[in-house]
Amino acid sequence: MNRFDATMIWNSVSDHVADGKDSAPHPVDALDAEEHADGTPSSWSAAIRSQTFFVPLHYEANYRYPLVVWLHSDGFNENQVCHVMPHVSSRNYLATGIRGPMASDASGHRFGWSNSAAALQSAERSVLEAIDRAASQYSVHAERIVLAGYQSGGTMATRIAMRHPELFAAAVSLGGAFNLPAHPELDRQRLKERRLPMLWQRSIESEFYDQARLVSEIQDASSIGAQLEIRQYRNDDEMNTVVLSDLDRWVMNHVVSGAPVAKLSHWDTSPTSFSDN
Protein backbone atom coordinates (compact mmCIF):
# COMPACT_ATOMS: atom_id res chain seq x y z
CA MET A 1 0.00 0.00 0.00
CA ASN A 2 1.19 3.50 -0.77
CA ARG A 3 0.81 6.62 1.30
CA PHE A 4 -1.73 9.01 -0.22
CA ASP A 5 -0.44 12.45 -1.06
CA ALA A 6 -1.46 14.68 1.82
CA THR A 7 -0.07 17.88 0.34
CA MET A 8 -2.25 17.66 -2.77
CA ILE A 9 -5.58 16.89 -1.17
CA TRP A 10 -5.57 18.88 2.06
CA ASN A 11 -4.67 22.37 0.92
CA SER A 12 -8.07 23.54 -0.27
CA VAL A 13 -11.33 23.94 1.58
CA SER A 14 -13.99 21.43 0.50
CA ASP A 15 -17.08 22.69 -1.30
CA HIS A 16 -19.11 19.51 -0.87
CA VAL A 17 -22.36 19.50 1.09
CA ALA A 18 -23.99 16.31 2.31
CA ASP A 19 -27.66 15.65 2.83
CA GLY A 20 -26.92 13.26 5.72
CA LYS A 21 -27.36 10.16 3.55
CA ASP A 22 -23.90 9.63 2.06
CA SER A 23 -20.23 9.94 2.93
CA ALA A 24 -19.60 13.44 1.61
CA PRO A 25 -18.39 16.05 4.10
CA HIS A 26 -21.04 18.33 5.56
CA PRO A 27 -19.74 21.85 6.23
CA VAL A 28 -21.41 23.53 9.19
CA ASP A 29 -21.70 27.27 9.59
CA ALA A 30 -19.73 28.59 12.55
CA LEU A 31 -18.30 31.86 13.77
CA ASP A 32 -14.77 32.67 12.67
CA ALA A 33 -13.17 34.72 15.42
CA GLU A 34 -10.35 37.16 14.84
CA GLU A 35 -7.16 35.99 16.50
CA HIS A 36 -4.39 37.48 18.59
CA ALA A 37 -0.77 36.75 17.72
CA ASP A 38 -0.67 33.78 20.13
CA GLY A 39 -3.63 32.13 18.41
CA THR A 40 -6.27 32.96 21.02
CA PRO A 41 -9.63 34.41 19.94
CA SER A 42 -10.12 38.14 20.32
CA SER A 43 -13.54 37.54 21.89
CA TRP A 44 -14.56 34.51 23.94
CA SER A 45 -18.10 34.96 22.62
CA ALA A 46 -16.68 34.13 19.18
CA ALA A 47 -14.68 31.10 20.30
CA ILE A 48 -16.77 28.57 18.34
CA ARG A 49 -14.59 27.23 15.54
CA SER A 50 -15.53 26.06 12.10
CA GLN A 51 -16.57 22.43 12.01
CA THR A 52 -16.93 19.86 9.24
CA PHE A 53 -18.89 16.61 9.35
CA PHE A 54 -18.06 13.33 7.64
CA VAL A 55 -21.28 11.34 7.35
CA PRO A 56 -20.88 7.57 6.79
CA LEU A 57 -22.07 5.85 3.66
CA HIS A 58 -25.73 4.77 3.93
CA TYR A 59 -26.19 6.72 7.15
CA GLU A 60 -28.92 5.17 9.31
CA ALA A 61 -30.59 7.57 11.74
CA ASN A 62 -31.74 4.74 14.02
CA TYR A 63 -28.19 3.48 14.63
CA ARG A 64 -26.04 5.17 17.27
CA TYR A 65 -22.67 5.76 15.60
CA PRO A 66 -19.26 6.04 17.22
CA LEU A 67 -18.07 9.63 16.79
CA VAL A 68 -14.48 10.42 15.78
CA VAL A 69 -13.49 13.99 16.64
CA TRP A 70 -10.50 14.81 14.43
CA LEU A 71 -7.88 17.49 15.12
CA HIS A 72 -5.83 18.35 12.04
CA SER A 73 -2.08 18.86 11.84
CA ASP A 74 -0.55 22.34 11.69
CA GLY A 75 -0.98 24.07 8.36
CA PHE A 76 -4.32 22.46 7.49
CA ASN A 77 -7.93 22.91 8.60
CA GLU A 78 -11.10 21.15 9.71
CA ASN A 79 -11.65 19.63 6.26
CA GLN A 80 -8.71 17.29 6.76
CA VAL A 81 -11.17 14.87 8.37
CA CYS A 82 -12.95 14.41 5.04
CA HIS A 83 -9.76 13.14 3.40
CA VAL A 84 -8.71 10.97 6.35
CA MET A 85 -11.94 9.13 7.15
CA PRO A 86 -12.43 7.29 3.83
CA HIS A 87 -9.09 5.60 4.54
CA VAL A 88 -10.25 4.71 8.07
CA SER A 89 -13.77 3.56 7.17
CA SER A 90 -16.53 4.96 4.98
CA ARG A 91 -19.24 3.18 6.98
CA ASN A 92 -18.28 2.66 10.62
CA TYR A 93 -18.22 6.18 12.06
CA LEU A 94 -19.57 9.65 12.12
CA ALA A 95 -16.70 12.09 12.26
CA THR A 96 -16.22 15.78 12.74
CA GLY A 97 -13.21 17.97 12.05
CA ILE A 98 -12.35 20.92 14.31
CA ARG A 99 -10.40 23.98 13.20
CA GLY A 100 -7.30 24.89 15.20
CA PRO A 101 -7.36 28.30 16.93
CA MET A 102 -4.19 29.74 15.38
CA ALA A 103 -4.35 31.10 11.82
CA SER A 104 -1.16 30.42 9.84
CA ASP A 105 -1.92 32.13 6.51
CA ALA A 106 -3.63 35.28 5.30
CA SER A 107 -6.15 33.43 3.15
CA GLY A 108 -7.80 31.79 6.16
CA HIS A 109 -7.31 28.20 4.96
CA ARG A 110 -4.48 27.05 7.26
CA PHE A 111 -4.54 26.78 11.03
CA GLY A 112 -2.58 25.28 13.90
CA TRP A 113 -2.59 24.51 17.60
CA SER A 114 -0.89 26.87 20.04
CA ASN A 115 0.61 25.61 23.30
CA SER A 116 -0.63 28.56 25.35
CA ALA A 117 -3.13 28.02 28.16
CA ALA A 118 -5.66 30.36 26.54
CA ALA A 119 -5.39 28.56 23.19
CA LEU A 120 -5.85 25.21 24.95
CA GLN A 121 -9.04 26.49 26.57
CA SER A 122 -10.24 27.74 23.18
CA ALA A 123 -9.53 24.37 21.53
CA GLU A 124 -11.16 22.51 24.39
CA ARG A 125 -14.29 24.65 24.15
CA SER A 126 -14.42 24.09 20.39
CA VAL A 127 -14.21 20.31 20.84
CA LEU A 128 -16.91 20.16 23.51
CA GLU A 129 -19.29 22.39 21.56
CA ALA A 130 -18.61 20.41 18.36
CA ILE A 131 -19.59 17.19 20.14
CA ASP A 132 -22.83 18.79 21.32
CA ARG A 133 -23.56 19.97 17.80
CA ALA A 134 -22.84 16.52 16.33
CA ALA A 135 -25.15 14.88 18.87
CA SER A 136 -27.91 17.38 18.12
CA GLN A 137 -27.78 16.77 14.35
CA TYR A 138 -26.89 13.09 14.08
CA SER A 139 -27.28 9.82 15.96
CA VAL A 140 -24.20 9.59 18.20
CA HIS A 141 -23.30 6.91 20.73
CA ALA A 142 -22.38 9.01 23.76
CA GLU A 143 -20.09 6.31 25.18
CA ARG A 144 -18.15 5.85 21.94
CA ILE A 145 -16.59 9.24 21.32
CA VAL A 146 -12.97 9.05 20.18
CA LEU A 147 -10.71 12.11 20.15
CA ALA A 148 -7.98 11.71 17.54
CA GLY A 149 -5.45 13.84 15.70
CA TYR A 150 -2.37 13.98 13.54
CA GLN A 151 0.99 15.41 14.70
CA SER A 152 0.21 18.62 16.67
CA GLY A 153 -3.47 17.67 16.49
CA GLY A 154 -2.62 14.34 18.11
CA THR A 155 -0.83 16.14 20.92
CA MET A 156 -3.84 18.39 21.45
CA ALA A 157 -6.18 15.38 21.34
CA THR A 158 -4.39 13.68 24.25
CA ARG A 159 -4.24 16.95 26.20
CA ILE A 160 -7.97 17.56 25.93
CA ALA A 161 -8.87 13.90 26.53
CA MET A 162 -6.88 13.89 29.76
CA ARG A 163 -8.75 16.98 30.94
CA HIS A 164 -12.10 15.23 30.28
CA PRO A 165 -11.31 11.50 30.62
CA GLU A 166 -14.93 10.47 31.35
CA LEU A 167 -16.19 12.07 28.15
CA PHE A 168 -14.02 10.12 25.72
CA ALA A 169 -13.94 6.40 25.04
CA ALA A 170 -10.36 6.70 23.76
CA ALA A 171 -7.70 9.11 22.53
CA VAL A 172 -5.63 8.44 19.40
CA SER A 173 -2.45 10.26 18.42
CA LEU A 174 -0.76 9.86 15.03
CA GLY A 175 2.76 11.14 15.59
CA GLY A 176 1.82 13.64 18.29
CA ALA A 177 4.02 14.11 21.36
CA PHE A 178 2.73 13.26 24.84
CA ASN A 179 3.87 15.82 27.40
CA LEU A 180 2.26 15.02 30.74
CA PRO A 181 4.73 16.95 32.97
CA ALA A 182 3.82 20.19 31.17
CA HIS A 183 0.31 19.98 32.63
CA PRO A 184 0.54 19.73 36.43
CA GLU A 185 -3.06 20.93 36.72
CA LEU A 186 -4.35 17.54 35.56
CA ASP A 187 -6.17 15.44 38.14
CA ARG A 188 -3.89 12.41 38.22
CA GLN A 189 -6.06 10.47 40.64
CA ARG A 190 -9.04 10.96 38.37
CA LEU A 191 -6.96 9.75 35.42
CA LYS A 192 -5.79 6.68 37.34
CA GLU A 193 -9.37 5.78 38.15
CA ARG A 194 -10.50 6.28 34.55
CA ARG A 195 -7.54 4.47 32.88
CA LEU A 196 -8.16 6.21 29.57
CA PRO A 197 -7.51 3.93 26.57
CA MET A 198 -4.97 5.47 24.21
CA LEU A 199 -3.44 4.49 20.87
CA TRP A 200 -0.15 6.06 19.83
CA GLN A 201 0.93 5.49 16.23
CA ARG A 202 4.53 6.43 15.50
CA SER A 203 6.72 6.21 12.40
CA ILE A 204 10.23 5.27 13.45
CA GLU A 205 11.85 6.94 10.41
CA SER A 206 10.13 10.26 10.98
CA GLU A 207 12.34 13.28 11.68
CA PHE A 208 10.24 13.82 14.81
CA TYR A 209 10.76 10.31 16.20
CA ASP A 210 12.91 10.16 19.34
CA GLN A 211 13.22 6.80 21.07
CA ALA A 212 14.47 8.24 24.36
CA ARG A 213 11.55 10.67 24.46
CA LEU A 214 9.13 7.85 23.63
CA VAL A 215 10.41 5.83 26.61
CA SER A 216 9.86 8.86 28.84
CA GLU A 217 6.36 9.36 27.44
CA ILE A 218 5.52 5.71 28.11
CA GLN A 219 6.61 6.15 31.72
CA ASP A 220 4.39 9.22 32.02
CA ALA A 221 1.40 7.35 30.59
CA SER A 222 2.07 4.46 32.95
CA SER A 223 2.09 6.85 35.92
CA ILE A 224 -1.57 7.71 35.28
CA GLY A 225 -2.58 4.10 34.59
CA ALA A 226 -3.47 4.72 30.95
CA GLN A 227 -4.48 1.70 28.87
CA LEU A 228 -1.84 2.39 26.27
CA GLU A 229 -1.04 0.63 23.01
CA ILE A 230 1.83 1.84 20.84
CA ARG A 231 2.18 0.85 17.22
CA GLN A 232 5.38 1.69 15.38
CA TYR A 233 5.77 1.74 11.60
CA ARG A 234 8.87 1.43 9.44
CA ASN A 235 8.29 4.54 7.37
CA ASP A 236 8.70 8.30 7.71
CA ASP A 237 5.12 9.53 8.18
CA GLU A 238 2.08 8.35 10.10
CA MET A 239 -0.37 9.57 7.48
CA ASN A 240 -0.75 6.50 5.28
CA THR A 241 -3.36 3.86 4.56
CA VAL A 242 -1.78 1.18 6.77
CA VAL A 243 -1.84 3.42 9.85
CA LEU A 244 -5.42 4.54 9.22
CA SER A 245 -6.62 0.96 8.70
CA ASP A 246 -4.97 0.04 12.00
CA LEU A 247 -6.80 2.94 13.64
CA ASP A 248 -10.12 1.54 12.40
CA ARG A 249 -9.39 -1.98 13.70
CA TRP A 250 -8.20 -0.67 17.06
CA VAL A 251 -11.31 1.47 17.60
CA MET A 252 -13.63 -1.32 16.50
CA ASN A 253 -11.90 -3.79 18.85
CA HIS A 254 -11.43 -1.62 21.93
CA VAL A 255 -14.17 1.01 21.71
CA VAL A 256 -17.02 -0.64 19.82
CA SER A 257 -16.45 -4.26 20.92
CA GLY A 258 -15.10 -3.30 24.34
CA ALA A 259 -12.03 -5.53 24.35
CA PRO A 260 -9.45 -4.39 26.93
CA VAL A 261 -6.25 -2.85 25.63
CA ALA A 262 -3.78 -5.69 26.22
CA LYS A 263 -0.39 -4.70 27.59
CA LEU A 264 2.10 -7.36 28.64
CA SER A 265 4.47 -4.76 30.05
CA HIS A 266 4.91 -0.99 30.18
CA TRP A 267 7.28 -1.19 27.21
CA ASP A 268 5.29 -3.19 24.67
CA THR A 269 5.15 -1.83 21.15
CA SER A 270 4.19 -3.40 17.84
CA PRO A 271 6.61 -2.75 14.92
CA THR A 272 4.60 -2.89 11.71
CA SER A 273 5.80 -2.85 8.12
CA PHE A 274 3.92 -2.30 4.88
CA SER A 275 2.23 -5.15 3.07
CA ASP A 276 3.78 -6.32 -0.21
CA ASN A 277 0.32 -6.55 -1.78
Side-chain angles (χ1 to χ4, degrees), residues 25-41:
H26 188 326
V28 174
D29 293 335
L31 298 175
D32 290 331
E34 295 182 359
E35 315 228 341
H36 296 300
D38 66 353
T40 60

mmCIF file with all atom_site columns, all heavy atoms in Angstrom, residues 25-41:
data_model
loop_
_atom_site.group_PDB
_atom_site.id
_atom_site.type_symbol
_atom_site.label_atom_id
_atom_site.label_alt_id
_atom_site.label_comp_id
_atom_site.label_asym_id
_atom_site.label_entity_id
_atom_site.label_seq_id
_atom_site.pdbx_PDB_ins_code
_atom_site.Cartn_x
_atom_site.Cartn_y
_atom_site.Cartn_z
_atom_site.occupancy
_atom_site.B_iso_or_equiv
_atom_site.pdbx_formal_charge
_atom_site.auth_seq_id
_atom_site.auth_comp_id
_atom_site.auth_asym_id
_atom_site.auth_atom_id
_atom_site.pdbx_PDB_model_num
ATOM 1   N N   . PRO A 1 25 ? -18.503 15.176 2.938  1.00 0.00 ? 25 PRO A N   1
ATOM 2   C CA  . PRO A 1 25 ? -18.388 16.050 4.100  1.00 0.00 ? 25 PRO A CA  1
ATOM 3   C C   . PRO A 1 25 ? -19.534 17.048 4.158  1.00 0.00 ? 25 PRO A C   1
ATOM 4   O O   . PRO A 1 25 ? -20.058 17.466 3.132  1.00 0.00 ? 25 PRO A O   1
ATOM 5   C CB  . PRO A 1 25 ? -17.057 16.758 3.868  1.00 0.00 ? 25 PRO A CB  1
ATOM 6   C CG  . PRO A 1 25 ? -16.827 16.673 2.403  1.00 0.00 ? 25 PRO A CG  1
ATOM 7   C CD  . PRO A 1 25 ? -17.451 15.390 1.958  1.00 0.00 ? 25 PRO A CD  1
ATOM 8   N N   . HIS A 1 26 ? -19.907 17.418 5.351  1.00 0.00 ? 26 HIS A N   1
ATOM 9   C CA  . HIS A 1 26 ? -21.035 18.325 5.557  1.00 0.00 ? 26 HIS A CA  1
ATOM 10  C C   . HIS A 1 26 ? -20.533 19.560 6.282  1.00 0.00 ? 26 HIS A C   1
ATOM 11  O O   . HIS A 1 26 ? -20.422 19.565 7.495  1.00 0.00 ? 26 HIS A O   1
ATOM 12  C CB  . HIS A 1 26 ? -22.093 17.608 6.400  1.00 0.00 ? 26 HIS A CB  1
ATOM 13  C CG  . HIS A 1 26 ? -23.384 18.379 6.520  1.00 0.00 ? 26 HIS A CG  1
ATOM 14  N ND1 . HIS A 1 26 ? -23.446 19.744 6.578  1.00 0.00 ? 26 HIS A ND1 1
ATOM 15  C CD2 . HIS A 1 26 ? -24.660 17.950 6.595  1.00 0.00 ? 26 HIS A CD2 1
ATOM 16  C CE1 . HIS A 1 26 ? -24.700 20.136 6.704  1.00 0.00 ? 26 HIS A CE1 1
ATOM 17  N NE2 . HIS A 1 26 ? -25.448 19.075 6.711  1.00 0.00 ? 26 HIS A NE2 1
ATOM 18  N N   . PRO A 1 27 ? -20.188 20.646 5.552  1.00 0.00 ? 27 PRO A N   1
ATOM 19  C CA  . PRO A 1 27 ? -19.740 21.849 6.229  1.00 0.00 ? 27 PRO A CA  1
ATOM 20  C C   . PRO A 1 27 ? -20.846 22.427 7.108  1.00 0.00 ? 27 PRO A C   1
ATOM 21  O O   . PRO A 1 27 ? -22.014 22.411 6.741  1.00 0.00 ? 27 PRO A O   1
ATOM 22  C CB  . PRO A 1 27 ? -19.402 22.797 5.077  1.00 0.00 ? 27 PRO A CB  1
ATOM 23  C CG  . PRO A 1 27 ? -19.226 21.920 3.880  1.00 0.00 ? 27 PRO A CG  1
ATOM 24  C CD  . PRO A 1 27 ? -20.172 20.778 4.103  1.00 0.00 ? 27 PRO A CD  1
ATOM 25  N N   . VAL A 1 28 ? -20.453 22.951 8.251  1.00 0.00 ? 28 VAL A N   1
ATOM 26  C CA  . VAL A 1 28 ? -21.409 23.533 9.187  1.00 0.00 ? 28 VAL A CA  1
ATOM 27  C C   . VAL A 1 28 ? -21.033 24.979 9.424  1.00 0.00 ? 28 VAL A C   1
ATOM 28  O O   . VAL A 1 28 ? -19.866 25.292 9.670  1.00 0.00 ? 28 VAL A O   1
ATOM 29  C CB  . VAL A 1 28 ? -21.405 22.765 10.518 1.00 0.00 ? 28 VAL A CB  1
ATOM 30  C CG1 . VAL A 1 28 ? -22.284 23.456 11.540 1.00 0.00 ? 28 VAL A CG1 1
ATOM 31  C CG2 . VAL A 1 28 ? -21.874 21.337 10.303 1.00 0.00 ? 28 VAL A CG2 1
ATOM 32  N N   . ASP A 1 29 ? -21.985 25.868 9.331  1.00 0.00 ? 29 ASP A N   1
ATOM 33  C CA  . ASP A 1 29 ? -21.700 27.269 9.589  1.00 0.00 ? 29 ASP A CA  1
ATOM 34  C C   . ASP A 1 29 ? -21.256 27.456 11.024 1.00 0.00 ? 29 ASP A C   1
ATOM 35  O O   . ASP A 1 29 ? -21.817 26.896 11.955 1.00 0.00 ? 29 ASP A O   1
ATOM 36  C CB  . ASP A 1 29 ? -22.944 28.130 9.348  1.00 0.00 ? 29 ASP A CB  1
ATOM 37  C CG  . ASP A 1 29 ? -23.329 28.161 7.889  1.00 0.00 ? 29 ASP A CG  1
ATOM 38  O OD1 . ASP A 1 29 ? -22.439 27.959 7.053  1.00 0.00 ? 29 ASP A OD1 1
ATOM 39  O OD2 . ASP A 1 29 ? -24.519 28.378 7.595  1.00 0.00 ? 29 ASP A OD2 1
ATOM 40  N N   . ALA A 1 30 ? -20.215 28.282 11.211 1.00 0.00 ? 30 ALA A N   1
ATOM 41  C CA  . ALA A 1 30 ? -19.734 28.592 12.552 1.00 0.00 ? 30 ALA A CA  1
ATOM 42  C C   . ALA A 1 30 ? -19.102 29.967 12.523 1.00 0.00 ? 30 ALA A C   1
ATOM 43  O O   . ALA A 1 30 ? -18.773 30.503 11.464 1.00 0.00 ? 30 ALA A O   1
ATOM 44  C CB  . ALA A 1 30 ? -18.719 27.548 13.025 1.00 0.00 ? 30 ALA A CB  1
ATOM 45  N N   . LEU A 1 31 ? -18.903 30.548 13.683 1.00 0.00 ? 31 LEU A N   1
ATOM 46  C CA  . LEU A 1 31 ? -18.295 31.858 13.773 1.00 0.00 ? 31 LEU A CA  1
ATOM 47  C C   . LEU A 1 31 ? -16.798 31.741 13.607 1.00 0.00 ? 31 LEU A C   1
ATOM 48  O O   . LEU A 1 31 ? -16.172 30.839 14.142 1.00 0.00 ? 31 LEU A O   1
ATOM 49  C CB  . LEU A 1 31 ? -18.617 32.489 15.146 1.00 0.00 ? 31 LEU A CB  1
ATOM 50  C CG  . LEU A 1 31 ? -20.098 32.724 15.429 1.00 0.00 ? 31 LEU A CG  1
ATOM 51  C CD1 . LEU A 1 31 ? -20.265 33.236 16.848 1.00 0.00 ? 31 LEU A CD1 1
ATOM 52  C CD2 . LEU A 1 31 ? -20.691 33.705 14.437 1.00 0.00 ? 31 LEU A CD2 1
ATOM 53  N N   . ASP A 1 32 ? -16.218 32.638 12.849 1.00 0.00 ? 32 ASP A N   1
ATOM 54  C CA  . ASP A 1 32 ? -14.771 32.672 12.671 1.00 0.00 ? 32 ASP A CA  1
ATOM 55  C C   . ASP A 1 32 ? -14.244 33.878 13.438 1.00 0.00 ? 32 ASP A C   1
ATOM 56  O O   . ASP A 1 32 ? -14.392 35.019 13.008 1.00 0.00 ? 32 ASP A O   1
ATOM 57  C CB  . ASP A 1 32 ? -14.391 32.797 11.195 1.00 0.00 ? 32 ASP A CB  1
ATOM 58  C CG  . ASP A 1 32 ? -14.690 31.527 10.431 1.00 0.00 ? 32 ASP A CG  1
ATOM 59  O OD1 . ASP A 1 32 ? -14.642 30.460 11.043 1.00 0.00 ? 32 ASP A OD1 1
ATOM 60  O OD2 . ASP A 1 32 ? -14.982 31.634 9.233  1.00 0.00 ? 32 ASP A OD2 1
ATOM 61  N N   . ALA A 1 33 ? -13.635 33.626 14.573 1.00 0.00 ? 33 ALA A N   1
ATOM 62  C CA  . ALA A 1 33 ? -13.168 34.718 15.417 1.00 0.00 ? 33 ALA A CA  1
ATOM 63  C C   . ALA A 1 33 ? -11.851 35.288 14.899 1.00 0.00 ? 33 ALA A C   1
ATOM 64  O O   . ALA A 1 33 ? -11.028 34.576 14.362 1.00 0.00 ? 33 ALA A O   1
ATOM 65  C CB  . ALA A 1 33 ? -12.963 34.212 16.849 1.00 0.00 ? 33 ALA A CB  1
ATOM 66  N N   . GLU A 1 34 ? -11.664 36.589 15.089 1.00 0.00 ? 34 GLU A N   1
ATOM 67  C CA  . GLU A 1 34 ? -10.353 37.163 14.842 1.00 0.00 ? 34 GLU A CA  1
ATOM 68  C C   . GLU A 1 34 ? -9.410  36.670 15.915 1.00 0.00 ? 34 GLU A C   1
ATOM 69  O O   . GLU A 1 34 ? -9.803  36.369 17.037 1.00 0.00 ? 34 GLU A O   1
ATOM 70  C CB  . GLU A 1 34 ? -10.431 38.695 14.870 1.00 0.00 ? 34 GLU A CB  1
ATOM 71  C CG  . GLU A 1 34 ? -11.279 39.270 13.736 1.00 0.00 ? 34 GLU A CG  1
ATOM 72  C CD  . GLU A 1 34 ? -11.281 40.773 13.770 1.00 0.00 ? 34 GLU A CD  1
ATOM 73  O OE1 . GLU A 1 34 ? -10.640 41.343 14.687 1.00 0.00 ? 34 GLU A OE1 1
ATOM 74  O OE2 . GLU A 1 34 ? -11.904 41.388 12.902 1.00 0.00 ? 34 GLU A OE2 1
ATOM 75  N N   . GLU A 1 35 ? -8.113  36.612 15.599 1.00 0.00 ? 35 GLU A N   1
ATOM 76  C CA  . GLU A 1 35 ? -7.161  35.990 16.502 1.00 0.00 ? 35 GLU A CA  1
ATOM 77  C C   . GLU A 1 35 ? -6.061  36.953 16.906 1.00 0.00 ? 35 GLU A C   1
ATOM 78  O O   . GLU A 1 35 ? -5.625  37.799 16.133 1.00 0.00 ? 35 GLU A O   1
ATOM 79  C CB  . GLU A 1 35 ? -6.567  34.757 15.826 1.00 0.00 ? 35 GLU A CB  1
ATOM 80  C CG  . GLU A 1 35 ? -7.622  33.913 15.148 1.00 0.00 ? 35 GLU A CG  1
ATOM 81  C CD  . GLU A 1 35 ? -7.481  32.463 15.498 1.00 0.00 ? 35 GLU A CD  1
ATOM 82  O OE1 . GLU A 1 35 ? -6.399  32.092 15.950 1.00 0.00 ? 35 GLU A OE1 1
ATOM 83  O OE2 . GLU A 1 35 ? -8.456  31.722 15.331 1.00 0.00 ? 35 GLU A OE2 1
ATOM 84  N N   . HIS A 1 36 ? -5.581  36.788 18.151 1.00 0.00 ? 36 HIS A N   1
ATOM 85  C CA  . HIS A 1 36 ? -4.391  37.481 18.587 1.00 0.00 ? 36 HIS A CA  1
ATOM 86  C C   . HIS A 1 36 ? -3.171  36.767 18.040 1.00 0.00 ? 36 HIS A C   1
ATOM 87  O O   . HIS A 1 36 ? -3.267  35.683 17.468 1.00 0.00 ? 36 HIS A O   1
ATOM 88  C CB  . HIS A 1 36 ? -4.341  37.513 20.116 1.00 0.00 ? 36 HIS A CB  1
ATOM 89  C CG  . HIS A 1 36 ? -5.483  38.290 20.719 1.00 0.00 ? 36 HIS A CG  1
ATOM 90  N ND1 . HIS A 1 36 ? -5.708  39.617 20.455 1.00 0.00 ? 36 HIS A ND1 1
ATOM 91  C CD2 . HIS A 1 36 ? -6.462  37.904 21.580 1.00 0.00 ? 36 HIS A CD2 1
ATOM 92  C CE1 . HIS A 1 36 ? -6.776  40.027 21.137 1.00 0.00 ? 36 HIS A CE1 1
ATOM 93  N NE2 . HIS A 1 36 ? -7.251  39.007 21.811 1.00 0.00 ? 36 HIS A NE2 1
ATOM 94  N N   . ALA A 1 37 ? -2.000  37.341 18.253 1.00 0.00 ? 37 ALA A N   1
ATOM 95  C CA  . ALA A 1 37 ? -0.772  36.752 17.723 1.00 0.00 ? 37 ALA A CA  1
ATOM 96  C C   . ALA A 1 37 ? -0.497  35.372 18.292 1.00 0.00 ? 37 ALA A C   1
ATOM 97  O O   . ALA A 1 37 ? 0.135   34.545 17.637 1.00 0.00 ? 37 ALA A O   1
ATOM 98  C CB  . ALA A 1 37 ? 0.408   37.689 18.025 1.00 0.00 ? 37 ALA A CB  1
ATOM 99  N N   . ASP A 1 38 ? -0.949  35.092 19.520 1.00 0.00 ? 38 ASP A N   1
ATOM 100 C CA  . ASP A 1 38 ? -0.674  33.783 20.128 1.00 0.00 ? 38 ASP A CA  1
ATOM 101 C C   . ASP A 1 38 ? -1.722  32.749 19.754 1.00 0.00 ? 38 ASP A C   1
ATOM 102 O O   . ASP A 1 38 ? -1.699  31.627 20.250 1.00 0.00 ? 38 ASP A O   1
ATOM 103 C CB  . ASP A 1 38 ? -0.585  33.892 21.653 1.00 0.00 ? 38 ASP A CB  1
ATOM 104 C CG  . ASP A 1 38 ? -1.911  34.283 22.298 1.00 0.00 ? 38 ASP A CG  1
ATOM 105 O OD1 . ASP A 1 38 ? -2.861  34.604 21.557 1.00 0.00 ? 38 ASP A OD1 1
ATOM 106 O OD2 . ASP A 1 38 ? -1.983  34.254 23.548 1.00 0.00 ? 38 ASP A OD2 1
ATOM 107 N N   . GLY A 1 39 ? -2.653  33.105 18.869 1.00 0.00 ? 39 GLY A N   1
ATOM 108 C CA  . GLY A 1 39 ? -3.631  32.134 18.409 1.00 0.00 ? 39 GLY A CA  1
ATOM 109 C C   . GLY A 1 39 ? -4.908  32.103 19.212 1.00 0.00 ? 39 GLY A C   1
ATOM 110 O O   . GLY A 1 39 ? -5.800  31.311 18.933 1.00 0.00 ? 39 GLY A O   1
ATOM 111 N N   . THR A 1 40 ? -5.055  32.955 20.217 1.00 0.00 ? 40 THR A N   1
ATOM 112 C CA  . THR A 1 40 ? -6.269  32.959 21.022 1.00 0.00 ? 40 THR A CA  1
ATOM 113 C C   . THR A 1 40 ? -7.309  33.865 20.372 1.00 0.00 ? 40 THR A C   1
ATOM 114 O O   . THR A 1 40 ? -6.969  34.835 19.692 1.00 0.00 ? 40 THR A O   1
ATOM 115 C CB  . THR A 1 40 ? -5.987  33.475 22.449 1.00 0.00 ? 40 THR A CB  1
ATOM 116 O OG1 . THR A 1 40 ? -5.490  34.812 22.355 1.00 0.00 ? 40 THR A OG1 1
ATOM 117 C CG2 . THR A 1 40 ? -4.963  32.585 23.122 1.00 0.00 ? 40 THR A CG2 1
ATOM 118 N N   . PRO A 1 41 ? -8.593  33.572 20.560 1.00 0.00 ? 41 PRO A N   1
ATOM 119 C CA  . PRO A 1 41 ? -9.627  34.407 19.937 1.00 0.00 ? 41 PRO A CA  1
ATOM 120 C C   . PRO A 1 41 ? -9.690  35.772 20.580 1.00 0.00 ? 41 PRO A C   1
ATOM 121 O O   . PRO A 1 41 ? -9.437  35.936 21.770 1.00 0.00 ? 41 PRO A O   1
ATOM 122 C CB  . PRO A 1 41 ? -10.909 33.612 20.203 1.00 0.00 ? 41 PRO A CB  1
ATOM 123 C CG  . PRO A 1 41 ? -10.610 32.794 21.400 1.00 0.00 ? 41 PRO A CG  1
ATOM 124 C CD  . PRO A 1 41 ? -9.153  32.452 21.325 1.00 0.00 ? 41 PRO A CD  1
#
